[in-house]
Amino acid sequence: MGALDASWFPVAAGPWSAQMESYLVNIDIDPEQVVRWLMVERQRGGSGLDVSAWRFNRRCPIEPRVEDRFGDEEREDLSDEVTVARLEIAPTHAGEGWRVVVAVEVELEPIVPGQDSAEDERAPIDLDTFYLEFIRSGRGTASVTAEAESTEAEAHLVEFLRAVETNAHVPAGRRARPGKVA
């Protein structure tokens, strides 16, 4: 399985449901570090961030291999079932114009023709479930992407990422101002 393709993910409801004009920001950060940082912030009660997570199953066709001994019709029907989990992080004030997405794709089992699979319906999950089932378990392929809609938004995003990388947190009991994390 190769890199994650963001087009597989349904668009989140809320302020990000409309496509924002943005550009991707290059980041190199461990997905577990991002999630653990969010968990500490939640515990301290001061993140100023909207966090939502969900998972869904989808089928994807299996690429034919030379050693497969299926006829053309069977080969077309053979697919893998994949569970996709997505965690979106954005400032509480949507006008800040940035978001970070932690995505995990876990390949399940090949599906043979006539076998039922779970629906492609998106199911919300909480941060702890996302961490335990998809990050901590080490199953699947995880990645972190970020986007900002302006250079000002990118500056706020870089500030957020720096707080995550250095494990800087808002002092206990205080709430971060919109756009400010630490």
Side-chain angles (χ1 to χ4, degrees):
M1 180 170 340
L4 293 175
D5 178 355
S7 65
W8 291 340
F9 301 115
V11 176
W16 298 100
S17 57
Q19 237 4 342
M20 78 170 158
E21 288 186 35
S22 62
Y23 54 96
L24 293 178
V25 177
N26 269 338
I27 57 174
D28 183 24
I29 192 166
D30 180 22
E32 183 171 6
Q33 185 175 356
V34 174
V35 177
R36 291 179 61 104
W37 186 91
L38 285 171
M39 293 170 81
V40 170
E41 277 298 297
R42 179 190 61 195
Q43 202 170 37
R44 296 170 67 97
S47 75
L49 299 169
D50 283 336
V51 178
S52 60
W54 61 91
R55 71 169 147 221
F56 68 96
N57 291 342
R58 69 174 176 81
R59 287 183 181 207
C60 55
I62 295 176
E63 294 296 319
R65 298 175 300 197
V66 175
E67 63 271 11
D68 288 339
R69 301 207 186 276
F70 295 108
D72 291 337
E73 194 172 304
E74 290 96 355
R75 190 175 296 134
E76 287 177 16
D77 290 339
L78 192 62
S79 60
D80 274 339
E81 186 166 18
V82 176
T83 296
V84 178
R86 181 176 167 115
L87 174 73
E88 286 197 9
I89 307 147
T92 302
H93 184 264
E96 294 292 322
W98 63 266
R99 73 174 153 186
V100 173
V101 175
V102 179
V104 182
E105 183 177 289
V106 179
E107 190 173 325
L108 300 176
E109 308 259 334
I111 300 170
V112 295
Q115 186 180 27
D116 289 334
S117 76
E119 293 293 319
D120 289 342
E121 192 170 310
R122 187 171 72 174
I125 56 175
D126 61 29
L127 185 61
D128 293 321
T129 301
F130 184 87
Y131 176 71
L132 291 172
E133 291 185 15
F134 297 98
I135 298 295
R136 186 173 174 207
S137 70
R139 299 178 338 166
T141 304
S143 66
V144 180
T145 58
E147 62 183 318
E149 65 181 13
S150 67
T151 53
E152 183 179 329
E154 183 179 10
H156 291 293
L157 172 61
V158 166
E159 186 178 325
F160 166 75
L161 293 171
R162 189 172 301 122
V164 172
E165 288 176 332
T166 61
N167 205 27
H169 296 277
V170 174
R174 293 185 47 207
R175 294 197 73 54
R177 345 186 287 244
K180 295 286 185 182
V181 178

